């Protein structure tokens, strides 16, 4: 838990010797609290102060990395229970499972499908993150061979799933350099699993579906055995239980600085006979309520766009909407005769409109007017997208040099600004476009031929 | 160090609201509210009632709905009474949201009297509580909802929606005929509180108000609604009586209009099958708003509603 300036001050010598470069111990304490200085600057700090401040500086939820290279997965280091208090940082990583009993060509196909899931949305690429390899053959050699192949051929990090340490060992050995996660240590096998994770320096998932205090004990023992990178899987048999366990773990980490619960969490879904919609509804809860990793044992291609969009929503920084630069964008290869349209600098808006223009096949200029990252109607209601303002900005941006005609298309929802814009842009014709971006292609065809 | 659960209690409580009227003969009521804790935190407080699901019933053929959404009602598109019955009898709606869209001047301009008659018939024939949603804030809406409120006197309907600048008539109607009122504000804690104060000052008790925080659908502002609902609930439980109302989310209308729902798999092969994707768009919106505090979800597709109903059951600790 972060300390206040005053709490830190009480730990300092209070001699105001200025060796740290600050006028007083209090001034230095304030800088420390704001994380604008490091304790090392004070040569007189006691061991006790170093320890307390050191502990306060380590994040309450450990950052755990799985895999290597560009698709490395980072989870944990969250700081709040409610996203409006700051933001959620490391988006829920989605893992798709496959088994070592699948024929090689099916495995290859699944991998390429998983790698191919990539939706561009509001300037981000939404992807799934991990492959979870289940051991169903019971054959350590086959399992290790499959794991090696996947880690050689795919950039996606692996979760190696088996409760049998003996069976896992060759597989972990085969791809340890790619930093797979082991799944999972349990009450029965934890000693050998901890040994495996420690010797190969890979993260370890800890599973206990009973009481939280049993999971806590298990995590404590494994921590004491020297494994630092843990991921916790509490019971999630019903949605109520999933919500309760995830909430209590997050709270214990953040509010009680509980070290054994100071880890990212995992939820595994789709192993039963529920239909894919029910699995997805559980995944929705998991994404909203704190799961760092979701393993899907059952999935359908249509699940990903909704689930990944939800994840993007929940993990967006609430203080600052995603924005694009307020400039004139060329969509396709427009020339001086091409249409000119205008919208706001809200990323989502820009993304939707530019996608539609692109899809229309008519190259066009899209001028983005700065509006604090608000959507068209929100910006207009907030007084950031009035006709006079938009008109003035367009002229300042140099639309007159970009196009030889004198027409500009505005969003249909704010048809009311047409008059004001005409006044602000003498000689220009202000065309009211359709309300929904989806109708832009038809509109361009009709109006711009 | 052993682990012990630390629990939180709150000074505030969400009052209970019972919609509908218990008049025997199979007429059902629906009670919402009664939370003494954050959504589904059964380990530290009581959640007296399960959130409920209303299905949408348009008063006339909703020509702007996509085929997939119309499918369950194909043969009753122009028969709101039959539609309403099916929503209750076949699809298990806890209550209905009758949308008087046809009263809009651009969509048929149906008269207030006709609307009132329809309300009466639906109430008599379906025996579940009714949300009566007007054609949108305007003088026409005021007129329509006043007539409907009168025709449904004593039935404990939920009138939707009062907004800033258009609330007086609706408040008076709710008071005069014993109804409840949806107070809608655009995704803002302070605006919600302010409207509730204005309404209360006209002497409609706060226990008769349901907050509509305004739903942004999945991918289109959902995160704003999600967080505003969490904040409204935290402040309500924290003791602010002007934010202690149950919340309603109009999930169906926000989800079924978006591109990701309307686009076919032929047009976007990498998005996958349209049906599953569309249903999940509605389910994902509904479930996330459920866990941020919704008491009433107004939904469109019966299959999506069924999945969400199952989720509600699990969240309430029923079954395994
Ligand atoms: C999320 C949201 C917010 C968020 C802001 C999100 C953001 N970054 O903009 C928050 C909570 C902050 C917010 C605040 C407010 N909001 Co608001 N908000 C919404 C909500 C739910 C979704 C907006 C959204 O993201 N839409 C998605 C984007 C992509 O839409 P879009 O930009 O309009 O783009 C579409 C079209 O316009 C078109 N298009 C876009 N550009 C172009 C260009 C051309 C050429 C063409 C042809 C088409 C086109 O294509 C897009 C897709 O089809 C809507 C209601 C709703 N359900 O839609 C209300 C809404 C927009 N908000 C509203 C209001 C009033 C406000 C406030 C003023 C409330 C207040 N008094 O405080 C504040 C103002 C904020 C401020 N800073 O002062 C009202 C506007 C009323 C009106 N009709 O004018 C709405 C409609 C809600 C309502 N029904 O009352 N809001
Ligand atoms: S060096 Fe240490 S003791 Fe000296 S003023 Fe700075 S904080 Fe105080």
């Amino acid at each position: 838990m972060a300390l206040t300036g005053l709490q830190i001050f009480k730990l300092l010598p209070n001699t105001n010797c200025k060796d740290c470069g600050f006028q007083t111990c209090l001034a230095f304490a304030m800088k420390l609290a704001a994380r604008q200085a490091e304790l090392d600057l004070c040569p007189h700090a006691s061991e006790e102060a170093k320890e307390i401040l050191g502990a306060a500086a380590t994040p309450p939820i450990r950052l755990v990395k799985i895999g290597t290279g560009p698709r490395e997965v980072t989870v944990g280091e969250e700081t709040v229970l409610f996203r409006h208090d700051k933001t959620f940082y490391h988006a829920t990583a989605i893992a798709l499972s496959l088994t070592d009993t699948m024929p090689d060509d099916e495995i290859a196909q699944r991998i390429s499908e998983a790698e191919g899931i990539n939706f561009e949305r509001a300037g981000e690429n939404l992807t799934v993150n991990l492959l979870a390899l289940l051991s169903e053959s019971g054959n350590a050699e086959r399992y290790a061979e499959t794991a090696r192949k996947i880690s050689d051929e795919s950039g996606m990090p692996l979760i190696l799933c088996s409760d049998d340490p003996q069976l896992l060992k060759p597989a972990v050995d085969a791809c340890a350099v790619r930093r797979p996660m082991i799944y999972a240590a349990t009450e029965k096998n934890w000693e050998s699993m901890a040994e495996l994770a420690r010797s190969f320096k890979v993260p370890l998932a800890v599973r206990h579906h009973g009481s939280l205090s049993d999971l806590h004990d298990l995590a404590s023992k494994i921590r004491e055995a020297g494994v630092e990178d843990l991921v916790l899987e509490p019971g999630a048999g019903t949605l109520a239980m999933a919500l309760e366990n995830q909430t209590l773990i997050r709270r214990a980490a953040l509010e009680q600085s509980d070290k054994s619960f100071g880890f990212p969490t995992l939820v595994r879904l789709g192993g039963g006979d529920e239909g894919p919609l029910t699995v997805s509804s559980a995944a929705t809860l998991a994404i909203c309520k704190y799961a760092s990793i979701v393993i899907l044992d059952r999935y359908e291609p249509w699940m990903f766009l909704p689930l990944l969009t939800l994840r993007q929503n929940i993990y967006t920084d609430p203080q600052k909407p995603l924005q694009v630069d307020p400039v004139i964008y060329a969509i396709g290869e427009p020339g001086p005769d091409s249409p000119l349209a205008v919208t706001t600098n809200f990323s989502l808006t820009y993304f939707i409109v530019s996608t539609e223009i692109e899809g229309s096949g008519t190259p066009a200029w899209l001028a983005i007017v700065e509006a604090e990252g608000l959507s068209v109607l929100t910006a207009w209601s907030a007084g950031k997208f009035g006709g006079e303002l938009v008109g003035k900005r367009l002229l300042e941006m140099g639309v007159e040099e970009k196009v030889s005609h004198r027409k500009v298309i505005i969003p249909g929802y704010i048809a009311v600004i047409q008059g004001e814009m005409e006044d602000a842009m003498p000689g220009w014709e202000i065309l009211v476009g359709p309300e929904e971006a989806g109708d832009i292609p038809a509109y361009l065809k009709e109006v711009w031929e | 160090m052993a682990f012990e659960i630390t629990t939180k209690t709150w000074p505030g409580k969400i009052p209970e609201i019972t919609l509908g009227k218990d008049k025997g003969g199979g007429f059902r009521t629906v009670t919402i509210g009664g939370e003494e804790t954050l959504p589904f935190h059964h380990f530290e407080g009581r959640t007296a009632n399960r959130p409920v699901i209303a299905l949408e019933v348009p008063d006339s053929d909703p020509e702007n709905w996509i085929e997939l959404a119309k499918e369950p009602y194909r043969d009753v598109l122009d028969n709101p009474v039959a539609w309403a019955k099916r929503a209750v009898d076949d699809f298990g709606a806890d209550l209905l949201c009758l949308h008087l869209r046809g009263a809009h001047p651009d969509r048929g301009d149906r008269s207030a009297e006709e609307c009132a008659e329809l309300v009466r018939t639906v109430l008599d024939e379906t025996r579940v509580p009714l949300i009566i949603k007007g054609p949108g804030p305007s003088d026409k809406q005021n007129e329509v909802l006043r007539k409907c409120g009168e025709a449904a006197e004593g039935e404990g309907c939920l009138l939707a929606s009062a907004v800033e600048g258009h609330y007086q008539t609706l408040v008076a109607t709710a008071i005069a005929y014993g109804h409840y009122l949806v107070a809608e504000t655009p995704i803002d804690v302070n605006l919600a509180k302010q409207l509730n104060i204005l309404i209360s000052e006209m002497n409609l008790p706060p226990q008769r108000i349901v907050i509509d925080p305004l739903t942004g659908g999945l991918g289109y502002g959902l995160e704003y609604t999600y967080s505003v609902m969490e904040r409204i609930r935290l402040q309500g439980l924290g003791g602010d009586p002007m934010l202690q109302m149950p919340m309603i989310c109009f999930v169906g209308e926000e989800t079924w209009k978006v591109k990701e729902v309307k686009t076919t798999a032929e047009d976007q092969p990498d998005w996958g099958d349209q049906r599953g994707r569309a249903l999940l768009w509605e389910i994902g919106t509904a479930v996330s708003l459920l866990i941020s505090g919704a008491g009433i979800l107004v939904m469109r597709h019966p299959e999506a509603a069924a999945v969400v109903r199952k989720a509600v059951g699990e969240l309430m600790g029923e079954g395994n």
Side-chain angles (χ1 to χ4, degrees):
Chain A
M1 234 180 303
L3 298 176
T4 65
L6 227 52
Q7 285 168 322
I8 297 175
F9 172 66
K10 289 186 185 138
L11 297 167
L12 294 175
N14 195 15
T15 53
N16 299 334
C17 73
K18 302 194 177 78
D19 288 352
C20 55
F22 294 91
Q23 289 300 312
T24 60
C25 291
L26 182 62
F28 181 54
M30 291 302 176
K31 285 286 170 195
L32 285 178
R35 293 181 195 257
Q36 289 164 352
E38 296 292 330
L39 184 64
D40 312 351
L41 291 173
C42 168
H44 316 293
S46 67
E47 284 308 313
E48 187 206 356
K50 282 181 194 158
E51 197 174 308
I52 296 175
L53 282 171
T58 52
I61 298 176
R62 190 174 169 85
L63 194 75
V64 172
K65 296 184 172 185
I66 308 169
T68 56
R71 296 198 76 143
E72 177 187 74
V73 165
T74 305
V75 287
E77 218 166 83
E78 299 299 338
T79 59
V80 291
L81 280 159
F82 300 102
R83 55 187 295 284
H84 62 254
D85 281 334
K86 190 144 176 63
T87 183
F88 292 169
Y89 290 99
H90 296 107
T92 313
I94 308 287
L96 304 186
S97 66
L98 32 101
T99 71
D100 67 347
T101 47
M102 288 171 179
D104 288 351
D105 52 346
E106 186 182 345
I107 292 180
Q109 195 198 333
R110 292 218 178 205
I111 296 173
S112 82
E113 276 168 14
E115 286 178 339
I117 297 170
N118 187 345
F119 308 108
E120 199 194 332
R121 198 163 204 292
E124 290 182 353
N125 289 305
L126 310 182
T127 59
V128 298
N129 313 88
L130 300 141
L131 296 169
L133 180 63
L134 317 190
S135 149
E136 282 182 0
S137 67
N139 176 334
E141 217 172 296
R142 163 74 188 163
Y143 188 66
E145 195 40 49
T146 315
R148 184 204 311 278
K149 249 180 99 182
I150 296 178
S151 82
D152 284 351
E153 284 167 20
S154 160
M156 283 173 86
L158 257 181
I159 304 179
L160 297 172
C161 306
S162 165
D163 287 357
D164 180 353
Q166 246 25 64
L167 193 146
L168 272 180
K169 191 170 177 189
V172 179
D173 196 8
C175 47
V177 290
R178 302 287 312 280
R179 211 176 145 75
M181 178 166 85
I182 299 176
Y183 174 97
T186 65
E187 200 96 270
K188 291 201 184 105
N189 67 16
W190 70 269
E191 281 167 300
S192 341
M193 285 295 199
E195 175 53 31
L196 204 54
R198 208 161 45 89
S199 55
F200 288 102
K201 299 193 172 50
V202 294
L204 175 64
V206 182
R207 182 181 72 224
H208 197 294
H209 289 180
S211 77
L212 272 190
S213 81
D214 289 345
L215 174 63
H216 189 269
D217 289 348
L218 186 58
S220 305
K221 286 188 280 198
I222 297 175
R223 231 161 47 88
E224 277 157 29
V227 187
E228 293 184 327
D229 287 331
L230 301 183
V231 171
L232 309 173
E233 185 192 354
T238 66
L239 296 181
M241 192 194 293
L243 175 67
E244 170 174 343
N245 288 342
Q246 293 286 338
T247 304
L248 288 171
I249 290 177
R250 167 83 52 112
R251 255 198 212 166
L254 297 184
E255 295 177 356
Q256 279 108 41
S257 307
D258 187 311
K259 287 288 164 233
S260 297
F261 274 171
F263 294 104
T265 59
L266 181 150
V267 172
R268 186 169 175 186
L269 300 171
D273 51 10
E274 325 87 332
L277 285 172
T278 300
V279 173
S280 307
S281 106
T284 302
L285 175 96
I287 289 168
C288 293
K289 285 293 167 186
Y290 312 141
S292 309
I293 299 176
V294 172
I295 300 181
L296 293 174
D297 284 328
R298 164 149 200 205
Y299 49 88
E300 300 286 341
W302 49 260
M303 279 162 58
F304 297 113
L305 183 61
L307 288 179
L308 298 180
T309 302
L310 174 79
R311 177 180 75 179
Q312 181 185 40
N313 280 179
I314 296 296
Y315 279 84
T316 296
D317 183 348
Q319 334 279 345
K320 198 170 166 290
L322 294 171
Q323 301 187 10
V324 290
D325 290 336
V327 298
I328 304 173
Y329 291 87
I331 316 285
E333 283 174 13
D337 305 334
S338 301
L340 167 70
V342 61
T343 192
T344 77
N345 69 332
F346 183 31
S347 239
L348 179 64
T349 303
Y350 167 77
F351 155 81
I352 293 172
V353 174
S354 61
T355 311
E356 290 301 339
I357 295 179
E358 217 175 307
S360 76
T362 310
W365 301 101
L366 181 58
I368 299 298
V369 169
E370 140 67 39
E372 295 180 2
L374 297 173
S375 79
V376 168
L377 271 180
T378 312
W380 177 76
S381 327
K384 314 275 183 231
F385 214 68
E388 194 188 331
L389 200 144
V390 173
K392 243 176 77 190
R393 281 296 299 133
L394 286 177
L395 294 178
E396 284 167 17
M397 287 164 95
V399 286
E400 281 171 313
E401 285 95 70
K402 284 277 188 225
V403 293
S404 52
H405 58 79
R406 289 292 173 262
K407 291 179 191 161
V408 53
I409 307 167
I410 61 171
Y413 283 121
I414 49 166
V416 291
I417 72 169
Q418 189 182 24
E420 270 178 42
M421 260 182 89
E422 277 164 2
D423 294 344
M425 300 177 79
W428 282 73
E429 190 183 343
I430 313 299
L431 304 175
V432 176
E435 294 189 338
E436 290 297 325
D439 299 325
I440 290 178
Y443 173 84
L444 286 180
K445 195 157 273 151
E446 197 187 304
V447 178
W448 219 269
E449 293 304 281
Chain B
M1 196 176 61
F3 174 71
E4 269 172 53
I5 294 180
T6 46
T7 55
K8 281 184 194 163
T9 53
W10 301 88
K13 174 184 169 173
I14 313 305
E16 292 191 40
I17 288 187
T18 298
L19 300 172
K21 183 176 172 190
D22 187 1
K23 40 186 182 183
F27 284 89
R28 280 189 264 148
T29 61
V30 151
T31 303
I32 54 167
E35 294 91 343
E36 294 172 22
T37 186
L38 290 169
F40 314 107
H41 281 213
H42 307 298
F43 51 93
E44 57 188 356
R46 203 167 110 83
T47 300
N49 301 290
R50 53 181 7 239
V52 294
I53 298 172
L55 287 176
E56 294 177 295
V57 180
D59 66 352
S60 48
D61 184 350
E63 73 290 329
N64 58 341
W65 287 24
I66 63 170
E67 275 310 307
L68 209 57
K70 288 187 182 182
E71 199 178 86
Y73 302 103
R74 193 63 355 259
D75 52 329
V76 295
L77 290 174
D78 238 335
N79 184 347
V81 178
W83 180 312
K85 278 184 165 161
R86 181 170 301 169
V88 176
D89 299 340
D90 296 352
F91 303 141
D94 297 306
L95 70 169
L96 296 172
C97 177
L98 179 62
H99 186 190
L100 301 170
R101 55 193 298 284
H104 195 282
D106 300 343
R107 280 194 300 251
D109 207 12
R110 186 183 284 219
S111 74
E113 286 73 20
E114 280 175 277
C115 294
E117 214 181 293
L118 177 61
V119 163
R120 204 49 265 169
T121 318
V122 171
L123 274 171
D124 291 338
E125 304 230 352
T126 59
R127 308 175 174 218
V128 295
L130 202 56
I131 302 166
I132 308 174
K133 186 168 162 54
S138 58
D139 292 343
K140 181 69 192 283
Q141 164 152 300
N142 290 342
E143 187 197 338
V144 165
L145 289 183
R146 195 163 44 77
K147 271 272 179 284
C148 292
E150 187 184 351
E153 179 162 12
E155 298 278 356
C157 296
L158 182 56
L159 309 179
S161 301
V163 300
E164 194 202 336
H166 274 283
Y167 64 91
Q168 284 97 336
T169 311
L170 299 189
V171 175
T173 305
I175 294 174
Y177 305 113
H179 298 301
Y180 299 82
L181 192 58
V182 174
E184 173 196 319
T185 41
I187 324 192
D188 187 290
V189 181
N190 296 323
L191 292 179
K193 178 169 172 168
Q194 196 181 317
L195 183 58
N196 290 340
I197 293 174
L198 290 172
I199 291 174
S200 306
E201 280 171 353
M202 284 185 68
N203 289 326
L204 184 71
Q207 299 78 8
R208 297 262 290 274
I209 303 173
V210 175
I211 295 176
D212 175 4
L214 207 119
T215 305
L218 177 52
Y220 294 85
L222 174 73
E223 70 274 34
Y224 293 93
T225 303
Y226 182 88
S227 284
V228 154
M229 288 172 67
E230 288 198 323
R231 290 175 57 204
I232 289 176
R233 185 45 50 86
L234 284 166
Q235 291 195 26
L237 292 173
D240 188 337
M242 283 302 137
L243 288 171
Q244 280 171 355
M245 295 75 184
M247 292 183 272
I248 183 170
C249 294
F250 291 88
V251 170
E253 57 190 51
E254 288 304 320
T255 48
W256 287 87
K257 68 179 186 192
V258 311
K259 174 170 174 145
E260 289 83 346
V261 164
K262 286 177 164 169
T263 305
T264 62
E266 287 82 69
D267 285 342
Q268 280 286 346
D270 63 325
W271 286 3
D273 174 55
Q274 184 188 7
R275 185 185 175 81
R277 175 175 15 108
L279 291 175
L280 181 50
W281 215 268
E282 185 167 29
I283 293 166
T285 306
V287 170
S288 42
L289 299 179
L290 204 54
I291 51 186
S292 56
I296 305 177
L297 296 165
V298 182
M299 298 187 62
R300 181 160 299 178
H301 203 288
E303 239 176 283
V307 174
V308 175
R309 186 173 304 114
K310 185 165 178 288
V312 171
E314 275 195 32
L315 282 164
M316 289 303 289
E318 300 158 7
N320 207 323

